[in-house]
């Protein structure tokens, strides 16, 4: 299993490496502000986004392209946006200098931060808060109404490093007295929220774990069979997925970008409906700092799930 997991990481890194050819010296110098006499650096900043839209380029890029375009107009900095194949791949890209900026889940941010290769750049706010929620969903005709009734059932989770499609839902089961490795009939690791929804609608699993933002996006897209799904449990508030910056970027570059993201809602050509966040949900804007301890709930849930538990869940999923 260890060899298999290491091989997976190497494959992810090779895939990301093909997105951007060439390396960078550290630190990356700041690109000049628009209006200065110096020419803008030819090299765009490399932006990597977690696959929040089923792993496809189109949906995730559509959510974030307008914001990055506005920041580019305001600063003269150019961006090259790509969608990663996995959450873990984003961490490796940040820590191996294959990405300059990333949109990640809170757990993914904590993983990169712990390795010293990323810091908070900006995080979305809505109605004065920067949180979102995960849920456990079942089909409308299901006899399941509580977490306790998931014992002996089949459950779909997303990426193993996803906060809302894995970490928080798994801890919800554990807090309800359900051992995911002994009390479930089967585990599906689908990789994405959208794939978990598809598995649930198709009857391949009895329940699916995903974020409400991802569910709402599927409803807006009129995904077949999704609108009538039932929620049997809602998670505690989860710190909102942030934009993070590679610590190899020069400090003045990071601060300039942070300021630009905070001002993006006032940028010319940006309307309120163009300011989007996770799952394409409309947000009020972005801030460049959060209170101390903001990400502590995610760190606490992450600590509840041991490496051994994750490995066993992956083994169970591989048996299907």
């Amino acid at each position: 299993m260890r060899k298999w997991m290491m091989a997976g990481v190497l494959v992810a890194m090779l895939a990301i490496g093909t997105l951007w050819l060439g390396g960078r010296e550290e630190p990356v110098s700041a690109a000049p502000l628009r209006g200065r006499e110096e020419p803008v650096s030819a090299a765009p900043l490399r932006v990597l986004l977690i696959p929040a839209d089923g792993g496809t380029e189109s949906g995730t890029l559509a959510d974030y392209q307008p914001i990055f375009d506005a920041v580019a107009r305001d600063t003269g900095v150019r961006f090259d946006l790509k969608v990663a194949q996995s959450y873990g791949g984003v961490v490796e890209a940040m820590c191996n200098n294959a990405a300059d900026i990333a949109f990640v889940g809170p757990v993914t941010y904590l993983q990169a931060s712990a390795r010293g290769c990323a810091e908070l750049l900006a995080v979305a706010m809505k109605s004065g808060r920067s949180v979102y929620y995960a849920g456990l969903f079942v089909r409308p005709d299901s006899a399941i109404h509580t977490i306790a009734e998931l014992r002996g059932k089949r459950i779909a989770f997303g990426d193993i490093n996803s906060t809302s499609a894995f970490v928080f839902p798994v801890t919800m089961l554990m807090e309800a007295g359900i051992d995911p490795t002994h009390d479930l009939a089967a585990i599906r690791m689908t990789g994405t929220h959208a794939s978990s929804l598809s598995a649930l609608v198709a009857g391949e699993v009895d329940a699916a774990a995903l974020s409400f933002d991802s569910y709402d996006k599927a409803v807006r897209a009129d995904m077949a069979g999704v609108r009538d799904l039932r929620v049997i449990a809602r998670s505690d508030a989860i710190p909102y997925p942030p934009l993070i910056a590679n610590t190899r970027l020069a400090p003045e570059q990071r601060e300039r970008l942070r300021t630009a993201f905070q001002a993006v809602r006032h940028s010319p050509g940006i309307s309120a409906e163009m300011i989007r966040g996770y799952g394409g949900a409309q947000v009020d804007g972005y801030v460049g700092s959060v209170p101390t301890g903001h990400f502590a709930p995610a760190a606490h849930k992450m600590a509840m799930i041991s490496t051994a538990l994750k490995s066993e869940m992956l083994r169970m999923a591989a048996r299907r």
Side-chain angles (χ1 to χ4, degrees):
M1 173 58 70
R2 182 176 179 84
K3 290 182 179 178
W4 176 85
M5 293 179 69
M6 288 302 296
V9 170
L10 289 173
V11 169
M13 283 304 300
L14 287 171
I16 291 169
T18 63
L19 299 178
W20 297 291
L21 297 179
R24 280 212 175 109
E25 298 296 326
E26 58 173 296
V28 178
S29 61
L33 286 170
R34 185 180 59 186
R36 293 190 179 184
E37 294 182 358
E38 301 98 329
V40 174
S41 170
L45 293 183
R46 303 156 298 176
V47 181
L48 200 55
L49 311 172
I50 57 172
D53 187 52
T56 63
E57 291 270 343
S58 58
T60 304
L61 291 177
D63 294 341
Y64 287 93
Q65 194 70 59
I67 298 169
F68 279 92
D69 286 346
V71 172
R73 289 193 299 269
D74 288 348
T75 64
V77 176
R78 296 189 301 119
F79 302 98
D80 181 14
L81 275 64
K82 296 287 189 297
V83 178
Q85 296 302 306
S86 71
Y87 289 57
V90 177
V91 175
E92 296 305 319
M94 291 294 284
C95 293
N96 288 280
N97 199 29
D100 303 305
I101 296 172
F103 168 69
V104 297
V107 163
T108 314
Y109 161 58
L110 291 171
Q111 291 169 340
S113 178
R115 292 170 61 176
C117 52
E119 70 173 26
L120 180 70
L121 179 62
V123 65
M125 298 285 289
K126 186 171 184 178
S127 302
R129 304 187 72 198
S130 184
V131 298
Y132 72 125
Y133 296 87
L136 291 166
F137 294 77
V138 298
R139 291 184 298 279
D141 59 349
S142 173
I144 302 170
H145 292 86
T146 67
I147 294 182
E149 292 170 341
L150 290 175
R151 195 179 301 273
K153 305 301 183 183
R154 304 164 299 166
I155 302 181
F157 299 95
D159 191 289
I160 195 78
N161 293 302
S162 171
T163 310
S164 56
F166 183 79
V167 174
F168 268 66
V170 168
T171 60
M172 289 166 69
L173 294 175
M174 295 167 65
E175 289 165 349
I178 295 178
D179 182 339
T181 62
H182 292 94
D183 298 333
L184 299 180
I187 289 173
R188 283 282 301 275
M189 298 301 303
T190 69
T192 69
H193 300 257
S195 296
S196 292
L197 277 175
S198 296
L200 178 60
V201 170
E204 297 169 3
V205 294
D206 303 300
L210 60 142
S211 74
F212 279 89
D213 294 79
S214 297
Y215 172 76
D216 290 341
K217 184 164 190 173
V219 170
R220 292 195 302 272
D222 201 24
M223 183 176 172
V226 167
R227 190 176 298 272
D228 295 327
L229 296 177
R230 285 193 292 107
V231 180
I232 63 166
R234 181 186 179 97
S235 74
D236 296 333
I238 308 173
Y240 201 81
L243 288 164
I244 61 175
N246 195 317
T247 51
R248 295 191 185 192
L249 285 175
E252 63 270 21
Q253 176 79 314
R254 283 178 260 152
E255 189 56 36
R256 181 179 299 166
L257 291 169
R258 189 173 288 112
T259 299
F261 276 104
Q262 290 185 112
V264 74
R265 64 183 181 275
H266 303 302
S267 297
I270 287 289
S271 60
E273 57 269 18
M274 293 171 69
I275 305 175
R276 300 282 172 170
Y278 178 52
Q282 186 174 334
V283 296
D284 297 331
Y286 284 78
V287 296
S289 62
V290 293
T292 301
H294 178 73
F295 289 97
H300 172 69
K301 300 292 187 182
M302 187 170 66
M304 291 176 62
I305 303 177
S306 66
T307 301
L309 175 60
K310 288 196 289 188
S311 296
E312 181 58 29
M313 291 182 70
L314 287 172
R315 278 194 287 270
M316 288 180 64
R319 290 202 294 264
R320 62 175 294 272

